[in-house]
Amino acid sequence: QVSLWVNQRATAQLDAGVRLDQAPLCRIEILTLENCEHIVLCLLHHAITDGWSMPNLLQSVHHHYAQLQSQVAEHLPVDQAYIPYRRLLEQQQPQTDAYWQQQLQQPHPGYPLSTLLARDLRQPTRRHRQELAISVQFTAQEQQGLQQFCQHQGFTSSILGLYSWHSVLREIGRHDVTCCGYVVAGRDLPVHGLTQSVGLFNNVVPL
């Protein structure tokens, strides 16, 4: 019954969602169980946090909770990394714009992505087109084997997926050079406390 009740509360939080035009973009609910046990439900919008932040957030909560249990008075630090991070990005923006303006001026071959369509849909007389969707599912054993392979080779499964997508683009586009966006953590800038900060620092770079 307890598990059912907790799942119902969690489902209710998810169904309520978070609206970008209404603060706050996070919602916390503490569920009190028997024997002085508690469960904390935390709903965070991706606009204010990223995957890197979650271990930082949980580690901070556990640390300060342990301090309270030990009755140790501790000043809570203020996370101030985001403002200097944004200022640094703004300072670098002119150089970034100049770089991409130069890249855009160089001739780049087109990519005939019409090869993604079925053969009968490439005819100009057709008015309707349909997207080609390919779904690949892995078993738990296959996923584990894939992760072990990536670890052994020294790269992540995400990089392997990106390489596979580049291979698909190269085949369908008939070009040796392909480009697509890739999400990076954005924590490599020289900003104090950036790696320990909680927030949205993701960036998309072309690869």
Side-chain angles (χ1 to χ4, degrees):
Q1 292 180 350
V2 173
S3 299
L4 178 60
W5 175 62
V6 172
N7 290 335
Q8 290 176 344
R9 295 304 309 157
T11 301
Q13 289 280 11
L14 292 174
D15 291 342
V18 178
R19 294 185 54 177
L20 288 174
D21 57 346
Q22 293 182 0
L25 297 184
C26 67
R27 190 162 54 249
I28 298 176
E29 181 179 1
I30 300 178
L31 306 180
T32 302
L33 309 180
E34 298 179 355
N35 301 324
C36 297
E37 294 181 355
H38 299 81
I39 292 180
V40 178
L41 300 179
C42 182
L43 182 66
L44 299 170
H45 197 285
H46 205 343
I48 61 173
T49 188
D50 54 26
W52 184 298
S53 298
M54 298 313 298
N56 294 344
L57 177 60
L58 294 177
Q59 183 178 3
S60 178
V61 170
H62 292 164
H63 170 75
H64 295 299
Y65 183 74
Q67 294 295 93
L68 290 175
Q69 283 186 316
S70 302
Q71 297 182 351
V72 176
E74 184 182 25
H75 175 70
L76 296 179
V78 179
D79 191 339
Q80 298 179 339
Y82 188 77
I83 293 179
Y85 165 81
R86 290 299 308 175
R87 288 175 179 171
L88 183 58
L89 289 183
E90 292 173 359
Q91 294 173 2
Q92 295 178 345
Q93 194 63 45
Q95 293 86 346
T96 302
D97 293 342
Y99 172 81
W100 286 113
Q101 287 296 334
Q102 181 182 5
Q103 294 296 314
L104 291 174
Q105 291 175 1
Q106 299 179 6
H108 294 280
Y111 294 91
L113 298 183
S114 60
T115 52
L116 283 174
L117 300 175
R119 184 174 301 277
D120 60 339
L121 295 179
R122 300 176 201 166
Q123 304 299 327
T125 55
R126 295 279 182 172
R127 295 185 179 181
H128 303 286
R129 292 184 176 184
Q130 65 182 23
E131 296 182 355
L132 175 63
I134 300 177
S135 177
V136 179
Q137 295 182 354
F138 296 97
T139 64
Q141 184 177 2
E142 291 172 338
Q143 292 179 359
Q144 184 179 4
L146 184 62
Q147 292 177 354
Q148 292 176 352
F149 169 79
C150 293
Q151 292 176 358
H152 179 72
Q153 297 297 326
F155 50 76
T156 65
S157 56
S158 178
I159 293 296
L160 179 61
L162 181 65
Y163 173 79
S164 302
W165 178 235
H166 274 291
S167 299
V168 172
L169 291 179
R170 185 173 64 249
E171 289 296 324
I172 65 176
R174 303 292 192 271
H175 291 288
D176 294 333
V177 179
T178 59
C179 181
C180 62
Y182 183 71
V183 178
V184 296
R187 306 276 182 150
D188 56 343
L189 296 180
V191 176
H192 177 70
L194 187 59
T195 57
Q196 294 82 28
S197 181
V198 176
L200 179 63
F201 299 94
N202 287 350
N203 193 12
V204 178
V205 296
L207 294 177

